[in-house]
Amino acid sequence: MPAESAGSAESEWSLSAPEKIVFEGPVTGLDVSIVNGAVNVVGADGGPARLELTALDGPPLKVVHQGGKLTVGYEDLTRKSLLGWFGRKNWNRSAGVTLTVPATADVKVGIVGASAVVSGIAGDTKVSGVSGDTTLVGITGDVRTETVSGRVEAQRLGGDVRCNGVSGDLTLVECSGGRIKADSVSGNVVIDLAPAAPAVDLAVTTVSGEVAVRLPSSADAAVDAGTTVGPVSCSFPELWVKDQFGSRNITGRLGAGRGQIKVTSVSGAVALLQGPDADDTDEWADDDAPAQGKVL
């Protein structure tokens, strides 16, 4: 069983074996960087912040709790230096760590070859990754992700979302917050907006990645979506599907057009799908229906 220790409001540890730590002082921010293995961050409504290191291979993890900030990582690696580790063949380290922090804390996670799961956070969340997959669940604060090749999968996000990726796929499901902006080179982008989402403010850009956006039938936004050489499809008959001047576009207005949907791709396919409203529980029931829309 891992040893357990308690820390004061300002403490420092060097962990070379599995261990549990309970932090006596407040934690308002978390900054954790892990190479290989897994990191799990859980937001809690009560109780002290806790750390459980379940597995460690390689150099020790350095843990610092000072001024309300909890930092977990290595002496030779910070989030700012993550890109310097891209392409290294011999990392010689891995760790498995679970961190429970107040739900209101701001969270920053850096991963190289590791998986990251962040759930139940109401503060701002930022995940930076070279490789390794990221899963975000039930985050009501703003979200920012930056990845090279790892996948990002998220469910029930309630704040503004900003995602940048190179080759990893991005999937956002049941988003109900404000602005969503996603940029990718070759990764595919799938975004599903919850029926309860306010007027849409969505912008997606890819080079060769495919883009699929599912909107409730009550969506309220001006639409401008297109690709230079890829195919387009649309499930909203009130939108126009145009093929002219070497590009294919979906344009028009949904509802009063208070929000905005902007999708741009060079060679990737673009699809606008119609999802259920709040009183319709069918999941993706009409996804295989023929594409509709006014065609020019």
Side-chain angles (χ1 to χ4, degrees):
M1 294 290 292
E4 182 169 332
S5 61
S8 62
E10 296 187 8
S11 302
E12 183 174 326
W13 296 260
S14 181
L15 306 183
S16 56
E19 186 171 349
K20 295 181 180 179
I21 302 175
V22 178
F23 302 97
E24 295 180 352
V27 172
T28 58
L30 170 66
D31 194 333
V32 54
S33 299
I34 296 294
V35 175
N36 294 327
V39 57
N40 184 22
V41 179
V42 180
D45 292 330
R50 303 181 301 277
L51 176 150
E52 181 176 5
L53 178 63
T54 57
L56 182 67
D57 182 23
L61 277 183
K62 181 179 180 180
V63 180
V64 178
H65 181 212
Q66 184 175 16
K69 182 178 180 180
L70 179 59
T71 304
V72 181
Y74 303 95
E75 290 281 1
D76 60 347
L77 174 65
T78 65
R79 284 189 314 102
K80 292 182 179 180
S81 66
L82 281 174
L83 287 179
W85 287 64
F86 183 66
R88 291 196 184 188
K89 301 297 183 181
N90 189 16
W91 290 326
N92 289 328
R93 64 187 71 186
S94 67
V97 60
T98 296
L99 293 138
T100 303
V101 297
T104 55
D106 293 333
V107 173
K108 296 179 180 179
V109 178
I111 53 174
V112 180
S115 63
V117 179
V118 183
S119 61
I121 296 296
D124 293 343
T125 297
K126 181 177 181 180
V127 180
S128 302
V130 175
S131 58
D133 298 336
T134 298
T135 302
L136 309 173
V137 180
I139 297 177
T140 56
D142 293 346
V143 168
R144 174 76 182 267
T145 68
E146 298 174 344
T147 66
V148 177
S149 60
R151 295 193 308 268
V152 176
E153 298 179 348
Q155 184 175 14
R156 300 195 313 274
L157 302 184
D160 290 349
V161 180
R162 179 75 170 90
C163 299
N164 293 87
V166 178
S167 60
D169 293 343
L170 170 65
T171 303
L172 308 179
V173 180
E174 297 180 53
C175 289
S176 61
R179 293 171 294 176
I180 300 175
K181 183 173 175 58
D183 296 311
S184 177
V185 178
S186 60
N188 298 326
V189 177
V190 176
I191 298 177
D192 167 47
L193 296 181
V200 182
D201 189 352
L202 172 67
V204 181
T205 301
T206 73
V207 177
S208 60
E210 298 180 353
V211 181
V213 177
R214 188 173 81 155
L215 308 167
S217 58
S218 58
D220 188 352
V223 177
D224 183 4
T227 176
T228 302
V229 296
V232 299
S233 61
C234 178
S235 298
F236 291 89
E238 58 266 57
L239 298 179
W240 296 90
V241 179
K242 298 183 293 185
D243 186 353
Q244 60 186 54
F245 304 117
S247 65
R248 300 172 177 89
N249 299 92
I250 305 170
T251 59
R253 188 178 69 183
L254 299 173
R258 292 180 297 173
Q260 179 175 320
I261 297 173
K262 176 71 173 179
V263 179
T264 303
S265 181
V266 177
S267 60
V270 173
L272 294 184
L273 309 174
Q274 185 169 322
D277 282 327
D279 57 351
D280 187 348
T281 58
D282 291 337
E283 287 296 318
W284 299 85
D286 298 325
D287 289 355
D288 296 328
Q292 304 176 37
K294 304 171 184 176
V295 180
L296 291 184

